[in-house]
Amino acid sequence: MPRPDLLLVSNIPAPLRTALAERFTLHEGDPVPGIRVVVGGGMAKLDAALLDRLPDLEIVAIHGIGHDGIDLAALRARGIRLTLTPDVLTEDVADLAIALMLGVQRRVAANDALVRGGGWAAPLGRRASGRRIGIFGLGRIGHAIAERAAPFAGELLYSARTEKPVPWRFVPDIAALAEASEVLILAAPGGAETDGIVDAAVLDRLGPDGVLVNIARGSLVDEEALVAALAEGRIAGAGLDVFAHEPQVPEALKAMPQVVLAPHQGSATEEGRAKMRALVLANLDAHFAGQPLVTPLI
């Protein structure tokens, strides 16, 4: 029996590609007739125009949890299934959020570069403990970040669509959250609702002692406004794992010692990626065996 045709719509880790090649005939670039499966990462784009070129498509499997680039309405209209890999990356992304928070305040990357360059005398960092930490988005990842941040925080605050049954203080919108926080961690989904939500006004409310951490989506932040706020000292620093136009990163950010940069590595651990890979394969195996999907979104 011929193997089903699968279209890759973004880069995926080599071990997942190898495993998929054992089950499917892989294609990249322009669709060929008969594509039944699409696989991509959390930044994958799959709009109505591309879906129109995939009349035989049955299932989309995302290696990640991001789906703001996927036209969900078009999938639903055609009865196409969509799976993600939730939960298995939550702990790793939350760990990185805390690492970035500490890295910025204690100048970990800047001091590392200083010592490697033969230096020793370094500017003072900032105390990480006892600060007011605000988390924008309290889903799985936001909640895991909050649990890790709580021991550091003088006060822990959050914004979400609705107030949650948690011990932390609810703040109704991001502007008020920024004003009440000294560290603002972004953990909300991308999409039209959050596009550019961290603008110059929000950064100004975070203030000159404030730190921004983004492990969510680059689209949440007005990147030009962020560069200006950092350059002008209107906020103190930033820890960024995601960017507006990945993999391009503004040169100005690269030159700033008060900024810690990572190449979208939130889920990039051996353990996390193995679980994500297994979940992609389990969903596809279930679909072609006529069994219930393991982690369906649609």
Side-chain angles (χ1 to χ4, degrees):
M1 173 179 285
R3 293 180 294 178
D5 288 293
L6 182 153
L7 178 66
L8 295 172
V9 292
S10 71
N11 291 330
I12 59 172
L16 176 58
R17 179 188 288 266
T18 298
L20 290 171
E22 296 171 353
R23 293 165 166 82
F24 303 96
T25 299
L26 304 189
H27 303 272
E28 298 180 74
D30 289 334
V32 299
I35 295 291
R36 298 173 64 189
V37 185
V38 163
V39 171
M43 300 295 291
K45 304 295 182 184
L46 187 59
D47 58 18
L50 179 54
L51 286 168
D52 285 344
R53 302 174 65 191
L54 300 167
D56 300 309
L57 184 62
E58 301 170 15
I59 185 170
V60 178
I62 296 298
H63 180 262
I65 57 172
H67 56 276
D68 42 297
I70 309 295
D71 190 328
L72 301 184
L75 293 186
R76 289 190 177 100
R78 286 180 45 189
I80 298 169
R81 308 303 304 274
L82 172 65
T83 69
L84 309 176
T85 59
D87 297 324
V88 296
L89 51 73
T90 298
E91 306 303 322
D92 294 324
V93 178
D95 287 347
L96 183 61
I98 300 303
L100 289 171
M101 181 183 77
L102 296 176
V104 172
Q105 293 175 110
R106 295 310 310 269
R107 290 180 43 88
V108 173
N111 286 348
D112 176 87
L114 176 73
V115 173
R116 290 175 189 273
W120 196 255
L124 297 178
R126 293 171 179 267
R127 179 174 291 170
S129 300
R131 305 195 82 192
R132 296 186 305 277
I133 300 174
I135 300 173
F136 180 62
L138 206 72
R140 292 182 180 94
I141 292 173
H143 194 279
I145 293 170
E147 289 181 327
R148 287 160 170 76
F152 289 99
E155 183 180 15
L156 191 64
L157 314 91
Y158 73 96
S159 287
R161 290 188 178 93
T162 58
E163 189 169 356
K164 312 287 186 182
V166 295
W168 313 305
R169 176 155 71 96
F170 175 68
V171 181
D173 62 75
I174 193 167
L177 182 67
E179 187 161 9
S181 302
E182 294 170 286
V183 178
L184 178 61
I185 302 176
L186 305 181
E193 186 177 348
T194 57
D195 188 41
I197 198 167
V198 179
D199 57 13
V202 168
L203 293 168
D204 283 342
R205 295 183 80 166
L206 183 58
D209 292 325
V211 169
L212 178 72
V213 173
N214 189 5
I215 48 75
R217 281 287 183 266
S219 62
L220 271 67
V221 178
D222 179 335
E223 210 158 67
E224 290 186 6
L226 174 61
V227 169
L230 288 162
E232 296 163 11
R234 299 193 340 262
I235 68 170
L240 307 172
D241 186 42
V242 289
F243 305 89
H245 304 290
E246 297 178 10
Q248 284 76 40
V249 176
E251 292 300 319
L253 290 177
K254 296 178 185 178
M256 292 177 174
Q258 74 272 40
V259 178
V260 177
L261 306 173
H264 203 149
Q265 294 289 288
S267 66
T269 67
E270 294 287 348
E271 299 85 353
R273 288 292 171 86
K275 291 180 178 179
M276 291 169 68
R277 178 171 67 251
L279 199 46
V280 169
L281 298 172
N283 277 302
L284 294 177
D285 289 345
H287 173 76
F288 284 98
Q291 298 174 353
L293 300 179
V294 182
T295 53
L297 184 66
I298 296 176

